[in-house]
Amino acid sequence: MEFSDIVDSLRRDGDETVAFAEGIAHDSLSSSSSNGGLVAGSKLSGPDSLPTMSARLNGGGIKIDRALGLTLDPQPDRPRPAKFRNLPYATLQTGLVYDVRMRFHVEALPSETDLHPEDPRRIHAIFEAFVNAGLAWSAKAEGPSNYYMGRIDAREVTMQEACLVHTKAHWDWIQALADMTVPELQNILQHPREQMQLDSVYVSPSTPFCARLSAGGAIEACRAILLGKVKNVFAVIRPPGHHAEREDVKGFCFFDNVSIATKVCQRDFGESCQKVFILDWDVHHGNGIQQAHYNDPNVLYISLHVHANGAFYPEGSYRDNRAPYGDYRHCGEGPGQGRNVNIPWRRAGMGDADYIYAFQQVVMPIAAEFNPHLVIIAAGFDAADGDMLGGCHVTPTGYAHMTHMLMSLAGGKVAVCLEGGYNLDAIARSAAAVGRTLMGEPPDRLEECEPTKSGVDDVKLVLRQQSKFWQSLYPKDLSDRLAGPLYGERMHDVVRKWQATTLWDKHEMSPLFIHRSQLSKSFEDQVLATPNYVERCPLLVILHDPPEVLTSPDPRTGKIDLHNTWLTDIAKTYIDWAIKQGFAVIDVNLPKHITDDDEDKQEHEQSEGIEDRTREATNLLTYLWENYIEINDATHVFLMGTNTGHGAIVNFIKTHEEAAEERLTKAISFIEDVPFQSCKSATGNEELAKWYYRSSLVFLASGHAFWDTEHARKIKKRFGRVFKSEEENVSDMLVHFKDTVTEVLLRDTAEWREKRSANMDEAEEDEMMTGIATPDPLRRPPVGNFALSPRPPGGGVTASPRAGGSGTRTPQGGSSPTKLPLMANFAFGRNGQPGSPAR
């Protein structure tokens, strides 16, 4: 075909394409796509030889099969102009980038049985889904239609374009793969000096070409929108790209397709594409995209991904051993601060409601305030229900709703670029739902509308962090105000001090000494005991979470008024009841956060991890047992724990089997959302599980994940006597089952109460009936719960580090918060006489 014939055939595609064709010399025409584009002879050998043209839609519709030299008719599925001028968006087509040659990227030596998740069939499954749904044209279609997707030709990315994101060394390494043998490919390293194996990447001689085609396809998808050829576009491309970093291939990715397309369009289209919003809903964090734009104020990157507190890929896989990179604290740097938004799910299993909630609370308010010129979706479908790697449950309808919301931005200029997704059926159905939405079909109704508690917590954490940078987000973070003249004290410390005072006034409960080398004020007054804990009577040890504070904050500022704040302490009702019955009580408060010794740090803090809290609680219970329980003469010992306390009790029993079976009367647990532990002997003692079943009461919230497991069908004895509670939180469970628990305690102590009643004098009987003790002038206020300070050289008296030099000082170095003389710091022995702590 002569050049003049090509130009004549292109005139049907509009003046812009003709102008491009006429501007290329006849002897330097080049190919740029799989299905077509302008084709010349064989003078050009690589992608860098392609002419660099500013702001053009690559491939005018002419399609030429390189191998056969045949010109194909472009008429059926090329993008067509808007049908009505007054409805340009509605009558423009959705674009489609698909090139079957991207399937050539395969394993150098594929296995017959072990198929790699990044299967070449992924893109074919999506294209077939489009065709079968009537979204894309194929030869079996009934004829051309303005309502099919308009086919946009892919092309190979140039070195200059790729190096807007990657280093030249990275580009060269990928290109070199084309000339290697299979044995060489099997042992290749990208960074030989470091002897680092390739991270979740396979290669073949076709990999460089497919990677160039994938990145070029992303570029052409975005250019087609900005040129007005299509209203939006779906780029069905592979290999994916969002894990590829500046000089690292990883996570199935070679070139960061989305980031390259972003920078190319910003360069070529100037002010009309100055601000780009990249939304990444792939189940894995897009570390490559984050790195490429971390200090760019004109690129907003928001990623929703499973993070699992740094235990989910790609965390822990970085060559530079960096700390978790996809957490909510990574917000950009320099001029790009606030332009990086990570929404990290702390666990897998998230569904439609969680993602929609994140969109409503964080994604859309920030994106609307950013006001982009172009939206690019890094569309991995591995969070889809059924994907083997993601473990989440987003449905096609969920993806459609997220797409629908994003189409309200940037005048509807949305480019969807495929990333992950490894279940062929799931990605096909999900992509088809997104494609239908892009073409104008409204999403189906959502079946799931209530987000998980974990999802809400994760979103609120991000909201609080990002409110520093975005005017549209509330409530605002208070750390800046509190760090200045408004310095405040954390309320959990204030509340526990108040509790200690109240329980002293009412029951003369005082702090027990807990030896710690360094004592945070969060541990002060955490263990309180009645004066009779050394006597021969039943002992109730309660290990509970801190009291709940319920408040109705100002919805705009987050300010909390004290008159709209309530403190609920249900555990106190059990203390009151037990003391009224003549029991001794040790009340153990398990703080969710340890106040930092740096008093200037006033930032929002997450609760300590459940594993860390359980370990600390176990150590504390063991200490109490060995120093205050085992050495005394309690007639009965009841351990009652809520949430973290449950784990502490079970762990203690498993490490003290004989002592627990001998002295422990009942183990009572209330569990809301922490791991449900079984009491399985570590020594092979089969009798332990039977004993635990007879000696336990376990109240498990109906919403706990345990009820969805196989263990719930027939609960084994090692889980204890389990009762399913219709109440959803620990406070309500404590209220609901109080009568049940107290009846069991009364039944177990019936013999002791009968003997006590027979020997009780009149004053003691009045005290038992009223719960009010006869005043004893010899009783003293609470002893300070302090740690031993290092003795200065040469002896002497030192003040407690926490006391700041105030209060009554002792030779041991402690300080009483009451500023009264301290009682001796000791535990009582079996005979009730003072003695040193056992440990």
Side-chain angles (χ1 to χ4, degrees):
M1 178 181 286
E2 295 296 330
F3 178 67
S4 58
D5 297 329
I6 296 178
V7 173
D8 290 340
S9 67
L10 292 177
R11 293 190 182 279
R12 295 173 301 182
D13 298 333
D15 295 338
E16 185 176 7
T17 308
V18 173
F20 162 67
E22 292 175 342
I24 302 177
H26 180 268
D27 60 352
S28 63
L29 288 176
S30 64
S31 171
S32 60
S33 74
S34 60
N35 294 322
L38 299 176
V39 179
S42 58
K43 289 186 178 181
L44 304 180
S45 59
D48 290 326
S49 302
L50 292 174
T52 301
M53 302 300 297
S54 176
R56 65 177 179 82
L57 173 62
N58 189 68
I62 289 294
K63 299 181 179 179
I64 296 179
D65 188 302
R66 288 175 182 262
L68 301 178
L70 300 177
T71 303
L72 306 180
D73 184 4
Q75 190 71 16
D77 60 346
R78 66 180 176 84
R80 298 168 181 268
K83 187 173 183 179
F84 301 115
R85 287 188 176 182
N86 57 331
L87 294 172
Y89 187 85
T91 57
L92 266 177
Q93 290 173 281
T94 291
L96 171 63
V97 175
Y98 172 71
D99 192 314
V100 69
R101 293 180 300 171
M102 295 184 202
R103 296 178 64 186
F104 296 168
H105 168 57
V106 295
E107 296 179 83
L109 279 178
S111 169
E112 293 184 6
T113 56
D114 186 15
L115 296 179
H116 196 280
E118 211 287 281
D119 192 320
R121 295 174 295 172
R122 294 169 60 242
I123 58 173
H124 179 71
I126 293 176
F127 179 72
E128 284 296 305
F130 287 168
V131 170
N132 294 334
L135 307 181
W137 182 89
S138 71
K140 60 186 177 182
E142 296 180 357
S145 169
N146 290 337
Y147 297 102
Y148 286 121
M149 292 179 171
R151 192 73 164 273
I152 299 164
D153 299 325
R155 66 167 173 86
E156 298 171 57
V157 68
T158 69
M159 181 189 70
Q160 290 85 352
E161 290 169 332
C163 288
L164 292 173
V165 172
H166 301 284
T167 63
K168 177 65 163 52
H170 182 83
W171 167 270
D172 290 341
W173 183 86
I174 293 176
Q175 306 319 307
L177 300 175
D179 300 321
M180 292 186 178
T181 63
V182 171
E184 290 174 329
L185 292 171
Q186 288 182 304
N187 298 303
I188 192 170
L189 302 175
Q190 187 174 15
H191 303 284
R193 292 182 180 179
E194 301 177 21
Q195 292 296 309
M196 298 287 293
Q197 297 295 323
L198 295 185
D199 179 13
S200 303
V201 168
Y202 65 78
V203 294
S204 73
S206 298
T207 295
F209 173 72
C210 295
R212 294 195 302 264
L213 209 55
S214 183
I219 294 173
E220 292 306 311
C222 296
R223 290 168 63 90
I225 298 173
L226 296 168
L227 286 168
K229 297 295 182 179
V230 293
K231 60 185 176 184
N232 48 45
V233 68
F234 200 125
V236 186
I237 55 177
R238 71 174 288 271
H242 74 150
H243 291 312
E245 294 195 347
R246 187 173 297 111
E247 54 182 3
D248 287 283
V249 299
K250 64 186 289 109
F252 314 155
C253 303
F254 294 86
F255 292 127
D256 185 354
N257 305 324
V258 165
S259 295
I260 292 172
T262 297
K263 292 190 179 294
V264 168
C265 289
Q266 286 180 319
R267 180 196 67 184
D268 290 352
F269 290 90
E271 293 184 359
S272 61
C273 188
Q274 180 180 2
K275 295 195 295 183
V276 179
F277 168 34
I278 303 173
L279 187 282
D280 188 345
W281 66 40
D282 190 286
V283 79
H284 303 95
H285 176 237
N287 54 288
I289 302 178
Q290 175 171 304
Q291 184 191 70
H293 310 285
Y294 203 58
N295 60 357
D296 189 343
N298 290 317
V299 177
L300 169 64
Y301 175 60
I302 301 182
S303 175
L304 301 97
H305 53 270
V306 174
H307 189 251
N309 297 319
F312 199 78
Y313 190 87
E315 300 294 8
S317 69
Y318 302 113
R319 186 164 53 91
D320 57 5
N321 297 317
R322 76 190 66 155
Y325 198 53
D327 63 6
Y328 74 99
R329 295 183 183 274
H330 278 80
C331 303
E333 63 184 7
Q337 194 170 41
R339 297 298 193 265
N340 195 86
V341 183
N342 288 320
I343 304 177
W345 305 123
R346 69 186 67 182
R347 63 178 182 84
M350 314 309 283
D352 289 345
D354 298 299
Y355 276 76
I356 298 303
Y357 182 74
F359 261 66
Q360 293 170 336
Q361 294 288 312
V362 177
V363 175
M364 295 309 295
I366 290 178
E369 185 176 338
F370 181 68
N371 195 19
H373 297 101
L374 175 67
V375 176
I376 305 178
I377 303 176
F381 292 105
D382 40 7
D385 189 28
D387 189 274
M388 64 284 259
L389 297 185
C392 289
H393 306 291
V394 181
T395 68
T397 301
Y399 284 116
H401 275 270
M402 289 189 285
T403 304
H404 193 253
M405 284 187 272
L406 294 172
M407 289 170 65
S408 67
L409 303 167
K413 296 182 179 68
V414 177
V416 180
C417 296
L418 181 66
E419 291 288 351
Y422 309 102
N423 180 306
L424 299 182
D425 179 63
I427 63 174
R429 292 187 295 108
S430 299
V434 171
R436 282 168 50 87
T437 305
L438 291 173
M439 295 179 74
E441 289 296 306
D444 293 336
R445 295 175 66 248
L446 281 169
E447 298 296 329
E448 179 188 358
C449 298
E450 183 179 357
T452 62
K453 293 180 180 178
S454 173
V456 173
D457 290 343
D458 295 338
V459 170
K460 291 299 185 183
L461 199 62
V462 177
L463 189 68
R464 184 179 294 107
Q465 177 75 4
Q466 292 293 332
S467 67
K468 303 174 183 178
F469 312 110
W470 300 97
Q471 295 181 0
S472 57
L473 298 186
Y474 292 94
K476 297 298 182 184
D477 185 78
L478 301 175
S479 58
D480 290 341
R481 293 183 62 201
L482 291 174
L486 294 181
Y487 167 75
E489 186 173 358
R490 294 189 184 272
M491 280 300 297
H492 76 144
D493 298 323
V494 175
V495 167
R496 194 54 181 174
K497 291 176 183 177
W498 171 84
Q499 281 183 309
T501 302
T502 301
L503 291 174
W504 165 260
D505 291 341
K506 188 171 184 178
H507 301 301
E508 295 186 344
M509 295 181 69
S510 57
L512 292 182
F513 172 77
I514 306 298
H515 177 75
R516 296 178 61 90
S517 58
Q518 289 183 343
L519 180 66
S520 164
K521 64 181 179 183
S522 294
F523 279 98
E524 294 175 0
D525 304 322
Q526 299 303 324
V527 183
L528 306 175
T530 54
N532 61 337
Y533 77 90
V534 296
E535 298 177 5
R536 189 169 181 76
C537 61
L539 172 64
L540 174 62
V541 182
I542 306 178
L543 300 98
H544 60 86
D545 294 330
E548 287 187 348
V549 176
L550 303 179
T551 185
S552 178
D554 185 289
R556 181 178 61 82
T557 65
K559 182 179 179 180
I560 295 175
D561 294 317
L562 292 181
H563 64 275
N564 284 326
T565 304
W566 296 265
L567 178 70
T568 64
D569 188 7
I570 306 303
K572 186 175 179 296
T573 64
Y574 284 78
I575 296 174
D576 294 341
W577 177 89
I579 292 176
K580 185 176 180 180
Q581 303 303 320
F583 292 10
V585 176
I586 296 179
D587 176 63
V588 183
N589 186 69
L590 302 175
K592 294 185 177 181
H593 169 73
I594 307 304
T595 299
D596 199 301
D597 288 337
D598 180 6
E599 296 184 350
D600 292 332
K601 187 177 181 182
Q602 300 292 309
E603 296 180 354
H604 176 85
E605 296 288 349
Q606 288 182 274
S607 297
E608 305 293 334
I610 186 63
E611 294 182 358
D612 294 335
R613 292 178 57 207
T614 301
R615 182 171 55 252
E616 285 290 325
T618 303
N619 293 338
L620 179 57
L621 176 57
T622 302
Y623 180 91
L624 292 174
W625 182 274
E626 295 174 348
N627 290 277
Y628 294 104
I629 299 175
E630 189 176 38
I631 62 177
N632 290 321
D633 297 321
T635 58
H636 307 76
V637 178
F638 302 101
L639 296 182
M640 189 172 87
T642 68
N643 277 336
T644 309
H646 158 73
I649 292 172
V650 173
N651 289 341
F652 168 78
I653 293 173
K654 290 191 291 187
T655 55
H656 297 74
E657 295 181 15
E658 293 184 7
E661 292 184 38
E662 179 183 353
R663 296 293 307 276
L664 187 58
T665 309
K666 275 288 184 300
I668 306 167
S669 296
F670 294 86
I671 308 166
E672 177 183 343
D673 55 3
V674 301
F676 180 26
Q677 299 191 33
S678 64
C679 194
K680 185 177 181 180
S681 173
T683 62
N685 178 12
E686 297 181 358
E687 296 300 318
L688 181 66
K690 299 177 182 178
W691 170 86
Y692 181 65
Y693 179 80
R694 296 191 303 268
S695 306
S696 65
L697 292 174
V698 181
F699 303 100
L700 193 63
S702 59
H704 196 281
F706 173 81
W707 299 114
D708 297 327
T709 66
E710 294 182 358
H711 295 297
R713 298 177 182 176
K714 187 177 180 180
I715 303 176
K716 296 183 178 180
K717 290 186 177 181
R718 57 189 171 91
F719 287 99
R721 292 183 61 195
V722 182
F723 298 86
K724 187 174 184 178
S725 171
E726 295 304 320
E727 310 298 332
E728 295 186 355
N729 59 73
V730 165
S731 294
D732 291 340
M733 292 166 66
L734 287 169
V735 173
H736 183 79
F737 291 105
K738 183 181 178 183
D739 291 343
T740 302
V741 172
T742 55
E743 286 176 10
V744 170
L745 298 185
L746 289 175
R747 185 176 66 243
D748 288 347
T749 59
E751 183 178 350
W752 173 83
R753 288 186 297 106
E754 290 177 2
K755 292 180 180 179
R756 180 175 184 266
S757 180
N759 299 325
M760 188 181 298
D761 58 26
E762 185 175 347
E764 290 174 328
E765 187 173 357
D766 289 341
E767 179 181 334
M768 185 188 74
M769 296 301 295
T770 61
I772 302 175
T774 303
D776 185 350
L778 298 179
R779 295 286 188 189
R780 296 172 182 251
V783 180
N785 182 17
F786 52 87
L788 301 181
S789 301
R791 185 179 298 276
V797 178
T798 2
S800 166
R802 300 295 312 176
S806 63
T808 302
R809 297 186 295 172
T810 69
Q812 290 85 2
S815 177
S816 168
T818 59
K819 298 183 176 59
L820 295 177
L822 294 173
M823 295 172 62
N825 180 20
F826 52 75
F828 286 90
R830 289 185 178 275
N831 58 2
Q833 298 301 315
S836 300
R839 295 190 183 178

